[in-house]
Amino acid sequence: MTKYVYMFSEGNATMRNLLGGKGANLAEMTGLGLPVPRGFTITTEACTRYYEDNESIAPEIEAEIFETLAKAEDMIGKKFGDPNDPYLVSVRSGSRASMPGMMDTILNLGLNDTVVEGLAKLTDNPRFAYDSYRRFIAMFGDVVMEVEKSLFEEELDAVKADRGAKLDTDLDADAMKEVVDRYKALYARVKGESFPQDPREQLMAAVKAVFRSWNNERANVYRRMNDIPGSWGTAVNIQEMVYGNMDNTSGTGVAFTRDPSTGENKLYGEFLMNAQGEDVVAGIRTPQTIDQLKDVMPDVYQQFTEIAEKLERHYRDMQDMEFTIERGKLFMLQTRNGKRTAAAALKVAVDLVEEGMITKEEALMKIDPKQLDALLHPTFVPAALKSAQSIAKGLPASPGAATGRVYFDASTATEASERGEKVILVRVETSPEDIQGMNVSQGILTGRGGMTSHAAVVARGMGKCCVSGCSELSIREKDGYFTTEDGTRFNEGDWISLDGSTGLIYAGAIDTQDASLSGDFDMIMKWSDDVRVLKIRTNADTVRDAAMAIKLGAEGIGLCRTEHMFFEADRIFAFRQMIVAKTVEARRAALEKLLPMQKEDFIGLFETMQGYPVTIRFLDPPLHEFLPHEDAEINELAGELKISAADLKTLINDLHELNPMMGHRGCRLAVTYPEIAEMQTRAVIEAAIEVNKKGQNIIPEIMIPLICDVKELKFVKNIVVKTADKIIADSGVKLEYHVGTMIEIPRAALTADEIAAEADFFSFGTNDLTQMTYGLSRDDAGKILESYYQNKIFESDPTARLDLVGVGKLMKIASQDGRSVKKDLKLGICGEHGGDPSSIAYCHELGFNYVSCSPFRVPIARLAAAQAAISGADNLGQK
Ligand code: ADP
Ligand code: MG
Ligand code: MG
């Protein structure tokens, strides 16, 4: 029989998939002998069962929950629902991957009208008892029964106003009693039934609510953004309560073993006395920094620092911990590997190696390659910053610089971003509903909440600039403006700039500049290069991109799109002359004009790449992409081309295609107009000869796109070889060159053995390969996918990631069949996925020679390739 419930003492950190991250770590800490309130975990499998059983909890699972509860009661010596000495619990969700703020915790469960009286008597502290009860009613009401949180807050505010209290802590027992009464009345009003009094009923309702929350909208959005499958489910932790809200010798806090913004090796965090649960991150009162705990409670501080060190050594990584103090006694409520900025991630990884705690390989595995993006992003241009006017200062919650127009809610921010605007999301505080809006913003600014507030944590995770807790601003979300201390008003759509490293906020837009990289970055890159097997190339069409890529560590160009060169103002005309040419002679004449320009481009690229391989793809898009469609433009162009507008229109109509993705493009152009391929070959070969004469050793790689049959490749290759060999022979110098093809049509993948016979290399164009394998156009997928998400057919855009099941299978077939014919067939990838870590791991597995990605992704690819090599070696070790 499947076991669905585990006591903390039965689990450990390796059981993360079953117990969720929180549960596994609570079990691990219990095993380490740390002061963890006792409890048990209902497994993620129980959540999966809940959905299999039509959103109900099977009787045997319910029975197992209550059996375990009884065991816990025996251990603790308190009974659930016993008014004389009640056992109260928290109900806490926790999935395999940490999903911050996704599912809410319920505290003080087990309280009811009689138990609360008992608790008041027992502790001789009625204020505490009623404070706990009102918190429970609000949390249960909000999380389980969907009574809006703000309604509870209104009641609380009313009582505070009545009594002239500023803070929650100013309310006495009597006031708390009134809050409880009001909450219960509110609950009954909204739900049409009174607040549930049976603790067992409360418990099961809470467990179900956690399971339900796994599937709520914001959890789905978060999972979609983070590639977390819905099938994982969440675990539920039921844990004995400890009370940070008992008195002024009690409190609650959060801390990191190192600074999560910079990585500096010192305890970093916040706490609040006489507080419970999320008070510290919710910004209800301003928390104290963890250092101040030294003065408030020296012994607890000492014990906490020891535990923090122990945990860091145990997990061999920076920890993010939650704790509560009950009447001077410390309890650990959570630990996990802490989220950190990219800069901190690098520093912590390098420091841990230098401290002898981990190996270089382990250090590399700790860094999320995607995070490196943040380091490569801009900061303000110092000169521009000098003349900028700072209007306020908040907390430097997530570093980087951002400039944009202010919007006050997630949906208008999203709309503005869809219009192409740069957006700064300004909120009093953020909640999980805002995630999409945060995602489209350049930066986030909040009026409330500390360095560990929702906005701060989520922004750091996104690698996005954030200034939080800027209390100087008076933010009026509903009215669409904010004012600074001196009364200056900023309306929706006004420009501001944020510095997430200093917390400063500026009026207007400020120019930004590229990042400069730290020594830690260089170190991590060097370690990566030492272990990776894959070469990293870049997709670059210009000298500028190529030079940037080289700086970031590229070892070649995997894709140079020649058509991009034709779009430039001084060339498009010659190119259009080529398109409208009615005879081969006229077309050749136009191509003659293009030849020197294209050759010049290649010389530039070859020189920049300093002998690294350069793959040049022949003309790929359909010709109509180069022609105008508006009447005015057509008339103008007709005049310039000296043809009639009517003729030009006819030509444009003739070129029009219903499905351009599968139309007259790629090698098909070269088949119709061999002279284009001829010109491009001349440009490549002549450029290489010229550069090599100056002492370089370029081996150009000519890539024929959109092959579906080997005969196409043979045909185009024949043009290339004939043209190239003649130029080389005439020049009297030696030049090696390669001709290969893209694999981007499923049929090419399936006939790779035939194609390999004619190709020196395969480069997987996974953008088109994905679209064609799914039969789904990326450009039109949006609307279609909406209903696919709703119906859970897809959880995220399948074309956004490399689909290992289908597209991956084609890649595998093509690689294996290709190499079965030609052992040393060079394999690479040049689609968007070439910079995506999980795709890179797959390319490593298939034995590719290189991946190619956009210049700014090169560092990500270097690290991801190293991680693939390291975990590949691990896999071998286990076999
Ligand atoms: P999240 O995943 O959102 O951080 P948690 O389950 O960690 O939610 O709970 C949030 C907070 O609630 C904890 O940091 C802690 O302060 C408080 N809490 C949870 N369980 C208990 C408990 N058994 N006793 C006291 N406080 C608790
Ligand atoms: Mg939370
Ligand atoms: Mg927590």
Side-chain angles (χ1 to χ4, degrees), residues 738-753:
H738 298 155
V739 184
T741 183
M742 290 187 70
I743 302 289
E744 51 188 335
I745 292 180
R747 192 178 188 282
L750 295 171
T751 58
D753 47 352

Side-chain angles (χ1 to χ4, degrees), residues 871-879:
S871 42
D874 279 359
N875 289 342
L876 289 179
Q878 276 161 18
K879 268 172 205 160

Side-chain angles (χ1 to χ4, degrees), residues 746-818:
R747 192 178 188 282
L750 295 171
T751 58
D753 47 352
E754 294 175 14
I755 293 174
E758 294 295 328
D760 296 323
F761 61 88
F762 283 175
S763 178
F764 288 84
T766 48
N767 296 353
D768 276 339
L769 186 60
T770 299
Q771 297 190 86
M772 303 230 209
T773 302
Y774 272 98
L776 180 68
S777 152
R778 262 194 309 184
D779 304 321
D780 301 316
K783 244 188 256 147
I784 302 169
L785 289 176
E786 262 327 301
S787 34
Y788 273 59
Y789 296 153
Q790 268 159 32
N791 292 299
K792 300 249 179 270
I793 297 171
F794 292 148
E795 292 185 62
S796 60
D797 182 350
T799 63
R801 226 168 323 118
L802 188 60
D803 157 50
L804 297 188
V805 181
V807 179
K809 196 173 198 174
L810 285 170
M811 290 170 70
K812 189 171 183 178
I813 291 170
S815 309
Q816 287 174 348
D817 289 1

